Amino acid sequence: MQDQNLGVFGVFALLSVLAVGGGSAVLPEMKTLVVETHHWLNDDQFRDIYGLGQMAPGPNMLMVIVIGYHVTGFLGAFLAFFGFFVPAGLISFIGSRLWDHFEGSPWRRALQDGMAPLVVGLMIAGVIAIARTAINDWATLALAVGVFLGVAFAKRVNPSLFILAGGLIGLAALR
């Protein structure tokens, strides 16, 4: 159990420092580590926990707490939370101090411009990782496209309602 706790902390601390642009950017690596490397979850469990994180209020990456809890209980939940949020928080704090110090520097603008496509690419990789576990036939593809179109074009409707509707349709299809 001790090794598992250290493993949970280590995995999420590593993901924390790799999470350039937010937690969604590390979803593919999180899935690889949690599902394929350590076998703490299977594809369906990972997809379901991710979906729960999207629906629950607050930051969607609180899903790491659920994963940690699944592995070793309350201590695992705490270690996953601490490992994922504290290193990134410290790096952000120190980085923001340096960022403000170099205001007006030409390299600051160049770095900012260079990071934008990287972050977008990492987020797209996260979408692909989740889509590979969630879309497994024509019905789930149609449902995913429908939810995407609803979120993209129905600007006055809360996106959570489309996700909830997709979940309810998927649940109804299972019966």
Side-chain angles (χ1 to χ4, degrees):
M1 186 68 88
Q2 182 74 12
D3 291 339
Q4 288 280 62
N5 285 322
L6 289 175
V8 166
F9 177 77
V11 162
F12 289 107
L14 171 67
L15 291 171
S16 175
V17 298
L18 296 176
V20 176
S24 298
V26 294
L27 274 174
E29 187 62 22
M30 183 185 299
K31 180 179 176 287
T32 298
L33 290 170
V34 169
V35 175
E36 297 165 17
T37 303
H38 294 284
H39 306 288
W40 292 332
L41 301 172
N42 61 38
D43 279 336
D44 291 340
Q45 290 170 319
F46 186 82
R47 179 200 61 223
D48 293 346
I49 290 171
Y50 175 76
L52 177 65
Q54 294 300 307
M55 289 299 298
N60 62 353
M61 293 313 291
L62 287 177
M63 68 183 268
V64 301
I65 296 171
V66 178
I67 295 171
Y69 180 81
H70 180 80
V71 178
T72 63
F74 286 110
L75 182 57
F78 174 76
L79 290 172
F81 173 80
F82 190 84
F84 193 74
F85 290 103
V86 171
L90 289 173
I91 291 169
S92 295
F93 177 74
I94 294 167
S96 71
R97 296 292 208 199
L98 288 171
W99 198 252
D100 290 343
H101 179 73
F102 289 105
E103 186 174 3
S105 174
W107 71 265
R108 177 179 157 169
R109 184 66 185 167
L111 181 64
Q112 193 171 351
D113 290 345
M115 291 295 282
L118 172 71
V119 171
V120 170
L122 289 170
M123 293 178 79
I124 290 170
V127 168
I128 291 169
I130 294 299
R132 284 185 176 159
T133 63
I135 300 173
N136 50 23
D137 59 16
W138 288 104
T140 54
L141 177 62
L143 191 56
V145 169
V147 169
F148 171 78
L149 292 173
V151 169
F153 297 111
K155 298 296 183 189
R156 295 187 180 262
V157 180
N158 186 330
S160 297
L161 295 176
F162 289 109
I163 296 168
L164 179 62
L168 292 174
I169 292 168
L171 184 63
L174 292 175
R175 293 180 178 218

